[in-house]
Amino acid sequence: MSSPSSNAVRSGHTAIVAFGSNVGDRIDMIEQACRKLDGHPQTRVLRTSCLWETKPMYFEDQDNFLNGVCEVSTSLEPEKLLDLLQDIEKDLGRVKVIDKGPRTVDLDIVLYDDIQYASERLTIPHALMLEREFVLRPLCELIPDAAHPKYPTMSYRHVLARLPKSDPPMSTVTPLAPGLPPIIALNPSRHTQIMAIINLTPDSFSDGGLHSPSDTTSLQTTLLSALNSGATILDLGGQSSRPHAAPIPDSTELARLAPALHLLRSLSSPSPPSPPSSSSSSSPQAKTNPPRFAISIDTYRASVAHAAITAGAHLINDISAGTLDPAMLRTVASLGCSICLMHMRGDPQTMMQPPHTTYAPELGGVLGGVARELRARVAAAEAAGVRRWRILLDPGLGFAKTAGQSLELVRGLANLREAEGLSGLPWVLGPSRKGFVGKALGVGREPGEREWGSAAAVAACVQGGADVVRVHEVGAMRDVVRVSDAIWRV
């Protein structure tokens, strides 16, 4: 088992706790349980697995579960930790009616240090862990090469490989926004989601000045057009990230974002009360319907992220994966929102300089470099408290990449998806109008003249396994995605 991180509870032990839920808002129940563990003075969640959608086992006449595990630092002894877990289950409304039946949340101690322990209430390691794919698969995200205390010569990775796979196969689940279905990244028939680029800047490389935040009528038309054309995510940007772009003050970035945020939040305002029924004496209540889209904020600043999420955004899209603002990952963890970690070296002013576009061939070239460096950023996010199921990845096409390197990343996306430590996480790719597309089309093509080339790149991204494509021309790329899904997502 890995060592506790530096923020562990002093004089603590390390436990692996399995969690599951199949009643109510499953993600919320699991996140509440993790917050309660973090809120106790003698326990702290160090990191989590992804969330995994699983069919019920043993008692099969019930809804699917979300399952996972977390690594917990604790100064509680095993029986006291069990008491705490059962108190959390009770606080979250668990009532045990059927053994292994439906539950709001289930919390089990799977491992505790490397001990073997047995009492009337508790057995460590968990007696059934080696037959449960829904325990072993998330466990292998955290400690794949550790061994069961009773079987020290066989790693959990090898035990998992010997288990028959679930039918249908298990998949990770990544939430984006209330009301929007989560990303099921390992479902081969999943639909590719479309992220619409809404640059509210005067100097973006392709559409700078096109969407003025001060013209709310035009802005509303743009936002509604993107949604009606098939976008499920609207990515709002108030700071240009084009090569050599100069930074602007936080206040300016927020001022550019505010009108669009206000307009989008108005789309999910409470609907008018229904007329009272003649058969009912109760007063009508306004209903708030969650929007069927996610609001993403393209920013690398923690202050902007905090203000935007507080104002109703759902997702942070950070081109630096938390490297340009040391407070970003801690802020996202405290907000409990999802974050897209994009690969980049340097900053927009320096990223295209040769040191940043050099990837050692002996270390796997650009594919190996991106995988290795994103793995480090995932670890940094986890250390800051971001849940693994809240992380999306972006290889950063055109950011610290030559045209040839960007093409290689699109070509090798399937390999990136399977890279050690990254498997199961969803991928966002943004090839739209990029320089590598223009170069492939021929010298002199302006960004606005790259639609057909962007379409080819989007199709290749879908083929490689992209979960989200980030585009300018939503309607045209929607058609590309639909046909690409029909060919490859079966």
Side-chain angles (χ1 to χ4, degrees):
M1 192 176 302
S2 63
S3 300
S5 68
S6 59
N7 65 350
V9 176
R10 183 170 295 178
S11 303
H13 303 275
T14 303
I16 296 291
V17 174
F19 49 75
S21 174
N22 75 333
V23 174
D25 187 335
R26 301 174 300 170
I27 295 171
D28 182 61
M29 285 292 162
I30 290 168
E31 292 187 326
Q32 283 194 62
C34 289
R35 287 196 295 271
K36 287 179 179 292
L37 279 169
D38 272 336
H40 192 277
Q42 292 177 276
T43 55
R44 180 167 296 166
V45 176
L46 302 179
R47 55 185 180 145
T48 69
S49 70
C50 291
L51 294 177
W52 293 82
E53 179 97 36
T54 64
K55 290 178 64 177
M57 194 174 181
Y58 310 115
F59 179 71
E60 298 183 2
D61 186 20
Q62 56 181 320
D63 293 334
N64 284 354
F65 279 85
L66 286 183
N67 287 109
V69 301
C70 57
E71 186 177 39
V72 177
S73 178
T74 182
S75 57
L76 296 172
E77 294 303 312
E79 300 274 353
K80 293 295 185 181
L81 179 58
L82 178 62
D83 290 339
L84 173 60
L85 297 180
Q86 291 180 342
D87 286 345
I88 292 173
E89 290 177 341
K90 184 178 179 181
D91 287 346
L92 294 178
R94 181 177 179 184
V95 178
K96 191 170 183 179
V97 178
I98 303 171
D99 186 38
K100 299 181 177 62
R103 63 211 80 169
T104 53
V105 71
D106 185 26
L107 302 170
D108 288 322
I109 301 172
V110 175
L111 297 167
Y112 185 98
D113 293 335
D114 292 318
I115 71 169
Q116 298 182 51
Y117 177 90
S119 70
E120 290 185 1
R121 301 176 62 214
L122 180 63
T123 299
I124 302 174
H126 193 285
L128 302 177
M129 65 175 291
L130 297 182
E131 68 181 47
R132 294 177 168 179
E133 185 186 4
F134 65 81
V135 172
L136 286 175
R137 194 162 295 282
L139 183 64
C140 283
E141 293 183 274
L142 303 187
I143 51 171
D145 297 315
H148 191 282
K150 285 187 177 180
Y151 310 104
T153 61
M154 184 171 291
S155 70
Y156 294 119
R157 189 197 304 268
H158 289 111
V159 176
L160 176 62
R162 293 186 176 191
L163 278 185
K165 291 186 177 180
S166 302
D167 184 21
M170 291 171 53
S171 178
T172 54
V173 172
T174 303
L176 296 176
L180 183 66
I183 296 174
I184 313 296
L186 299 181
N187 182 345
S189 61
R190 70 195 183 282
H191 294 300
T192 307
Q193 298 204 40
I194 295 176
M195 174 186 280
I197 299 169
I198 310 292
N199 286 323
L200 305 167
T201 57
D203 57 343
S204 291
F205 85 97
S206 172
D207 54 357
L210 183 62
H211 311 304
S212 172
S214 61
D215 186 349
T216 55
T217 301
S218 176
L219 183 58
Q220 179 169 311
T221 300
T222 296
L223 297 172
L224 289 174
S225 175
L227 292 172
N228 292 334
S229 296
T232 52
I233 308 167
L234 299 182
D235 193 39
L236 311 180
Q239 158 74 63
S240 176
S241 57
R242 63 176 172 78
H244 312 298
I248 59 174
D250 298 22
S251 57
T252 302
E253 185 178 356
L254 278 168
R256 291 174 179 175
L257 294 169
L261 267 172
H262 177 75
L263 287 169
L264 289 172
R265 291 307 297 167
S266 70
L267 298 179
S268 56
S269 297
S271 57
S274 301
S277 167
S278 58
S279 60
S280 173
S281 58
S282 60
S283 59
Q285 298 293 320
K287 296 180 180 179
T288 300
N289 298 313
R292 301 282 291 181
F293 59 86
I295 304 170
S296 170
I297 301 299
D298 181 359
T299 187
Y300 54 79
R301 293 186 171 106
S303 61
V304 174
H306 187 278
I309 295 296
T310 303
H314 308 106
L315 167 70
I316 297 302
N317 184 13
D318 183 353
I319 61 169
S320 78
T323 62
L324 293 181
D325 187 339
M328 175 61 91
L329 298 179
R330 295 193 306 273
T331 298
V332 167
S334 68
L335 293 167
C337 63
S338 296
I339 182 170
C340 181
L341 303 175
M342 196 192 82
H343 179 271
M344 181 179 70
R345 293 171 171 178
D347 57 40
Q349 292 183 301
T350 65
M351 64 184 179
M352 299 311 294
Q353 295 174 1
H356 295 315
T357 57
T358 302
Y359 297 83
E362 65 273 18
L363 296 176
V366 68
L367 285 168
V370 168
R372 184 171 57 256
E373 291 166 30
L374 276 179
R375 190 159 49 242
R377 298 317 301 159
V378 170
E382 291 177 316
V386 179
R387 310 306 185 201
R388 192 175 180 87
W389 60 78
R390 287 286 180 180
I391 296 174
L392 300 86
L393 301 176
D394 183 337
L397 303 179
F399 288 79
K401 319 288 187 312
T402 64
Q405 290 165 345
S406 291
L407 290 169
E408 187 176 349
L409 285 169
V410 174
R411 195 180 303 122
L413 177 57
N415 293 327
L416 273 180
R417 283 176 55 85
E418 296 301 321
E420 181 74 21
L422 303 180
S423 179
L425 295 173
W427 287 82
V428 179
L429 272 84
S432 184
R433 300 182 182 176
K434 290 285 176 68
F436 77 91
V437 174
K439 187 169 183 178
L441 289 171
V443 177
R445 293 292 184 99
E446 293 299 320
E449 299 174 331
R450 299 171 185 171
E451 181 177 348
W452 286 103
S454 296
V458 165
C461 291
V462 174
Q463 181 187 21
D467 299 282
V468 180
V469 288
R470 186 174 180 270
V471 302
H472 294 88
E473 300 96 346
V474 175
M477 296 307 118
R478 171 204 61 204
D479 292 345
V480 172
V481 163
R482 284 179 178 174
V483 175
S484 299
D485 281 351
I487 296 170
W488 291 299
R489 299 291 168 89
V490 293

